[in-house]
């Protein structure tokens, strides 16, 4: 059985979480358009998996698709996150992927002249809704041309225009009895490659855990490279 880096433990190691309003998701995330048709996910059907998604797997995963794709693409860009606590560069790449490429938003995210403005509270809410805690606070050095923070307004400006390196899709879905979670195999492909078939760049396991406080009902609890 694979050993996955537990994101909940990473969060706990970084900070003690304070109670706050999680906010709410506004609209459903949408996946980045692909130049080809991605294959349907292989599902290991079981009563446990059906119960985990409350017999509504398709809709619940569709609602989280932008989150999952964004996360997997960030892991592909920062592979050290598999064995080390993900840093600000990973965190903001993940959130840039969600906000700009996949349309994942919440209250406090608004359109601006060249992208989006995101309040500090919205940034925390996105983290709590998808990861179960707020890990990152500062803008990342690697995205300095696209993300900036205005301390006087307590607002982040997220500018569009950063080229997308990767896309992703769900390849397989199964239930992990040992961890009481759903394990998704997510394929990351090179978005710049031409052709009618995806050029696979990486493949990852992402485990979802049920979380009542999340606007999605689930959070990313663990992840690892799929061998």
């Amino acid at each position: 059985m694979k050993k996955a880096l537990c994101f909940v433990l990473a969060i706990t190691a970084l900070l003690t979480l304070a109670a706050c309003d999680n906010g709410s998701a506004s609209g459903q995330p949408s996946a980045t358009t692909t130049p080809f048709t991605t294959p349907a996910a292989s599902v290991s059907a079981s009563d446990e998996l059906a119960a985990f998604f409350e017999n509504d797997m398709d809709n619940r995963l569709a609602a989280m698709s932008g989150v999952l794709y964004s996360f997997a693409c960030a892991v592909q860009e920062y592979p050290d996150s598999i064995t080390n606590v993900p840093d600000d560069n990973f965190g903001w790449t993940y959130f840039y992927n969600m906000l700009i490429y996949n349309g994942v938003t919440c209250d406090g995210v608004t359109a601006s002249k060249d992208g989006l403005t995101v309040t500090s509270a919205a940034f925390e809410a996105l983290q709590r809704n998808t990861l179960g805690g707020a890990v990152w606070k500062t803008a990342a050095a690697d995205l300095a041309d696209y993300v900036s923070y205005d301390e006087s307004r307590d607002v982040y400006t997220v500018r569009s225009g950063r080229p997308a390196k990767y896309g992703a899709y769900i390849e397989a879905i199964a239930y992990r009895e040992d961890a009481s979670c759903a394990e998704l195999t997510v394929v990351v492909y090179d978005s710049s490659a031409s052709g009618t078939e995806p050029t696979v760049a990486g493949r990852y396991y992402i485990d979802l855990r049920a979380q009542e406080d999340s606007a999605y009902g689930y959070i990313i609890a663990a992840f690892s490279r799929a061998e």
Side-chain angles (χ1 to χ4, degrees):
M1 184 62 67
K2 73 180 183 66
K3 301 286 186 181
L5 172 63
C6 183
F7 217 82
V8 173
L9 293 179
I11 291 172
T12 303
L14 283 174
L15 49 84
T16 300
L17 297 178
C20 76
D21 184 0
N22 279 334
S24 61
S26 59
Q28 298 298 331
S30 59
T32 302
T33 301
T34 62
F36 47 80
T37 301
T38 57
S42 171
V43 180
S44 298
S46 68
D47 291 342
E48 291 81 6
L49 184 64
F52 182 82
F53 287 113
E54 298 183 356
N55 296 308
D56 192 23
M57 183 175 66
D58 288 350
N59 287 327
R60 289 175 181 264
L61 285 181
M64 284 202 76
S65 62
V67 173
L68 295 164
Y69 301 161
S70 298
F71 192 90
C73 290
V75 175
Q76 181 66 34
E77 194 163 348
Y78 293 96
D80 287 349
S81 62
I82 294 173
T83 53
N84 298 285
V85 176
D87 62 11
D88 289 335
N89 291 319
F90 173 92
W92 264 108
T93 297
Y94 167 47
F95 285 103
Y96 191 94
N97 292 349
M98 283 202 297
L99 293 164
I100 300 298
Y101 301 147
N102 288 303
V104 179
T105 67
C106 68
D107 292 341
V109 178
T110 57
S112 63
K113 181 179 180 181
D114 58 352
L116 300 170
T117 59
V118 183
T119 65
S120 180
F123 184 39
E124 288 195 13
L126 283 169
Q127 296 183 65
R128 294 183 185 279
N129 280 329
T130 63
L131 304 175
V135 179
W136 304 289
K137 296 181 181 298
T138 58
D142 285 2
L143 278 81
D145 291 340
Y146 300 98
V147 179
S148 58
Y149 176 66
D150 184 338
E151 186 175 2
S152 65
R153 298 167 57 212
D154 196 21
V155 167
Y156 298 89
T157 297
V158 184
R159 288 173 284 278
S160 58
R162 184 175 189 257
K165 296 181 179 180
Y166 304 106
Y169 60 89
I170 298 172
E171 182 179 59
I173 307 165
Y175 184 75
R176 285 188 60 192
E177 293 185 8
D178 63 318
S180 299
C181 68
E183 180 176 84
L184 312 178
T185 304
V186 182
V187 172
V188 176
Y189 60 85
D190 183 350
S191 62
S192 65
S194 59
T196 58
E197 297 293 330
T199 300
V200 175
R203 185 176 273 104
Y204 302 96
Y205 294 123
I206 297 180
D207 290 353
L208 293 183
R209 188 186 72 189
Q211 179 87 351
E212 289 184 0
D213 292 340
S214 167
Y216 299 95
Y218 307 92
I219 60 170
I220 295 173
F223 64 100
S224 65
R225 192 184 307 277
E227 302 298 339

